[in-house]
Amino acid sequence: MTTMMMLLVSYNGRPDLDTKTVAANHFNLSEGNFLRKIESREIDLPAVRLEDTSQKARRVVMLSDLAEYLDKKADEARRAIRH
């Protein structure tokens, strides 16, 4: 089973997650700290606004992007162990 499939099952087939959920469930961070790390590029994961016109619009992370990020980090960890 792929990471994407596992995430889809875990989140009832939703294609996106709010940044608060991603921050808490996958990074153990508050939403604010998570967004700051994205903006400073410490976390290389896109968080998109659903409404382009409002700065206060809800931000989400697409499950496909999260799956890719998790797979990339797992690959990096595997390579580090082998060296």
Side-chain angles (χ1 to χ4, degrees):
M1 187 179 278
T2 66
T3 304
M4 180 65 185
M5 291 174 68
M6 287 188 279
L7 288 171
L8 282 168
V9 169
S10 296
Y11 294 108
N12 299 317
R14 291 197 51 149
D16 60 47
L17 294 173
D18 61 85
T19 53
K20 185 175 182 177
T21 299
V22 176
N25 292 355
H26 296 280
F27 293 88
N28 197 31
L29 294 170
S30 69
E31 183 179 23
N33 284 337
F34 176 65
L35 290 172
R36 278 188 282 286
K37 286 181 180 260
I38 286 176
E39 289 167 9
S40 70
R41 299 182 190 226
E42 282 181 66
I43 296 175
D44 186 23
L45 186 64
V48 297
R49 281 190 172 78
L50 293 181
E51 298 174 28
D52 292 334
T53 57
S54 172
Q55 289 288 59
K56 293 185 179 181
R58 185 170 76 100
R59 293 175 81 173
V60 298
V61 172
M62 301 305 296
L63 277 190
S64 57
D65 292 330
L66 179 58
E68 185 178 324
Y69 179 86
L70 294 173
D71 287 340
K72 178 182 169 189
K73 289 299 183 181
D75 287 343
E76 288 173 7
R78 285 185 201 103
R79 279 194 298 271
I81 289 172
R82 291 183 193 136
H83 286 90

